[in-house]
Amino acid sequence: MPAPGIRVLPRPTGPGRTPQSNRASHLFPRSGTPGPIMAETSSLNIPTVDLADLASDDSARVERAAAAIREAFGVFGLVYLKNHGVDTQALNRFYDAFAAFIARPAEEKKPYGRADIWYQRGWTPPNTEVAVASNGQPDFKECYFVAPYPNDAQSALEFPELYPENVWPQNAPPYFEDGIMTLGRSLHEAGLKLLRGSAVALGLPETLFTDLCDRAAHVTRALQYLPLTNTQVNTDIVWGEEHTDFNLLTLLPGGRFLDPDGSPAPGPDNKSGLYLRTRATPEAPNGLKVRGTAPAGCIVAQVGQQLEILTGGTFLATPHVITAPGVPGWQRQSAAHFMHVHTNTVLFPLEKFRSADAVRNYAPPVLAGTYDIKTLVDIGLAPASALDKLGYRHYDRLNRQRAGT
Ligand SMILES: [Fe+2]
């Protein structure tokens, strides 16, 4: 990885637009590089929401959960969830299957790396996805994308690369397909509950967000962060550059480390893992760097850019980074389910949040599918030519007509 000149962009102190991508700039000082001092703490009290509270008939329990969501998403952009319905044993079984796939030779995995569908299904090779403001440095990871539910036919006609059919490896390791599909659906169900709770927390109709999610291009992704060599550890290399997710809501079931022999093991040090950046305050204009490790038995949910835009910045997309360990040879496996609003949704603050500031920060209104295409180009998954789809594509007809051909 080239040593990037550290570029620290101040985070807006009020609701403001994050870059129109799922990658932000280097906001955290990286090891070995200068940067502003930012408090690092794992003691901040990120709220936990019990999804059983949200489903209860007891208004006090519902209000307790709603208050926790307001604080969690308003301040941290992240919440811990309990009673989420994700089966940890099944998750580990899937991680075993995924590790077996990733261990295959690159040549064998190549047919599943589908640039033609912008890597929205199948294998993402290493050195493919890049952080927008990372000097072009790709992340150190391999991934696999699937859609846990069948595609909506009309949406697939409108945005074919966002709704391709799933791609499955030949002779997939046992439990590969079932494992990721089961995981994706469990996370999606938990996400729907949280989105209903989020709408209630904001005084909106309960199904407002979940209605926008109907038939959308939701994707579940398995990730494996790759081992660093002796010369790469303790440099400025991170496993995943700091960024904000471009979707509505991200569900993270928790990951695990693999030791240099490829066996699951507790982390090699306390250096690596998920860190998030809190909202800026006058006292901490760069925000606080907080470890995003969920309490035992909980999963994590994060605000994405679409939820930030719809709420006019009331909920803020969470900048997060995956730091690498200080020892060579270790890998990390994780998974994420990305819930999106439907591609035909207009991304703009909902009426309730349409203050002059919010309008200024989030104008112009843009179609979610268009926004997705732009972002996928920004992060290197779609080719720049994909942007040509966004304008009129038939100018040549007039030229041909004039030429009489
Ligand atoms: Fe992310």
Side-chain angles (χ1 to χ4, degrees):
M1 172 179 265
I6 188 80
R7 287 191 289 158
V8 179
L9 301 185
R11 193 164 162 71
T13 50
R17 186 163 204 165
T18 52
Q20 194 178 12
S21 74
N22 82 343
R23 296 291 181 177
S25 295
H26 293 150
L27 294 170
F28 294 155
R30 303 156 103 198
S31 56
T33 56
I37 303 300
M38 187 164 56
E40 180 177 330
T41 176
S42 56
S43 62
L44 290 181
N45 196 17
I46 299 174
T48 297
V49 165
D50 186 341
L51 290 180
D53 280 349
L54 285 175
S56 121
D57 292 332
D58 180 343
S59 59
R61 286 181 67 185
V62 173
E63 179 44 40
R64 180 172 67 189
I69 292 171
R70 280 192 293 273
E71 188 195 343
F73 280 176
V75 176
F76 301 99
L78 177 145
V79 71
Y80 300 134
L81 299 178
K82 68 177 176 188
N83 285 318
H84 44 70
V86 176
D87 179 337
T88 309
Q89 266 193 331
L91 175 65
N92 281 318
R93 216 176 131 209
F94 167 68
Y95 280 148
D96 289 343
F98 182 53
F101 173 75
I102 293 298
R104 292 179 177 181
E107 273 307 303
E108 210 175 302
K109 293 180 282 190
K110 213 169 167 183
Y112 314 113
R114 295 279 303 275
D116 61 315
I117 50 169
W118 305 347
Y119 302 101
Q120 294 307 290
R121 302 288 184 272
W123 182 54
T124 320
N127 304 319
T128 302
E129 188 176 330
V130 297
V132 166
S134 68
N135 296 339
Q137 174 56 54
D139 288 343
F140 273 56
K141 68 187 182 198
E142 292 185 38
C143 309
Y144 209 94
F145 263 131
V146 307
Y149 296 100
N151 289 323
D152 173 60
Q154 180 60 34
S155 307
L157 283 176
E158 295 168 358
F159 292 94
E161 295 87 353
L162 301 179
Y163 297 89
E165 291 303 313
N166 279 332
V167 170
W168 297 112
Q170 273 194 329
N171 305 316
Y175 201 60
F176 185 91
E177 180 173 342
D178 283 353
I180 195 165
M181 294 295 270
T182 302
L183 175 66
R185 289 177 184 194
S186 306
L187 291 169
H188 195 80
E189 289 302 314
L192 290 174
K193 290 176 188 167
L194 180 59
L195 285 172
R196 283 194 287 270
S198 300
V200 169
L202 292 168
L204 298 167
E206 185 177 357
T207 63
L208 191 147
F209 294 127
T210 51
D211 288 349
L212 296 180
C213 285
D214 189 34
R215 301 170 298 113
H218 312 294
V219 283
T220 306
R221 190 179 212 188
L223 304 95
Q224 192 151 324
Y225 295 101
L226 304 175
L228 268 51
T229 63
N230 270 321
T231 53
Q232 289 171 328
V233 292
N234 299 314
T235 63
D236 55 4
I237 291 174
V238 292
W239 265 340
E241 284 283 355
E242 188 176 19
H243 64 281
T244 52
D245 291 347
F246 76 92
N247 51 304
L248 183 74
L249 183 74
T250 305
L251 288 300
L252 303 163
R256 69 179 194 183
F257 287 92
L258 299 177
D259 69 17
D261 295 327
S263 303
D269 56 26
N270 60 7
K271 203 170 164 260
S272 55
L274 172 71
Y275 286 86
L276 65 108
R277 180 184 295 272
T278 63
R279 189 182 277 259
T281 62
E283 300 76 42
N286 295 109
L288 297 175
K289 184 180 176 185
V290 183
R291 192 178 259 280
T293 308
C298 290
I299 64 169
V300 172
Q302 285 180 170
V303 176
Q305 293 168 16
Q306 295 175 349
L307 187 53
E308 172 180 329
I309 295 168
L310 291 172
T311 62
T314 302
F315 290 168
L316 216 50
T318 325
H320 52 284
V321 64
I322 315 293
T323 55
V327 289
W330 286 72
Q331 300 181 76
R332 182 171 171 81
Q333 297 187 289
S334 67
H337 179 61
F338 301 103
M339 299 180 75
H340 285 255
V341 295
H342 187 263
T343 33
N344 284 349
T345 307
V346 173
L347 288 178
F348 196 56
L350 299 165
E351 204 166 346
K352 176 169 186 169
F353 304 104
R354 215 170 287 166
S355 65
D357 267 357
V359 169
R360 208 167 25 244
N361 284 331
Y362 297 104
V366 59
L367 203 64
T370 308
Y371 188 92
D372 293 348
I373 291 173
K374 169 71 168 61
T375 306
L376 291 169
V377 170
D378 288 347
I379 64 172
L381 295 183
S385 59
L387 297 177
D388 295 342
K389 289 173 183 283
L390 306 184
Y392 188 69
R393 283 184 279 161
H394 306 286
Y395 293 117
D396 63 321
R397 188 170 62 217
L398 176 57
N399 288 334
R400 284 201 312 273
Q401 203 174 0
R402 284 159 56 111
T405 56

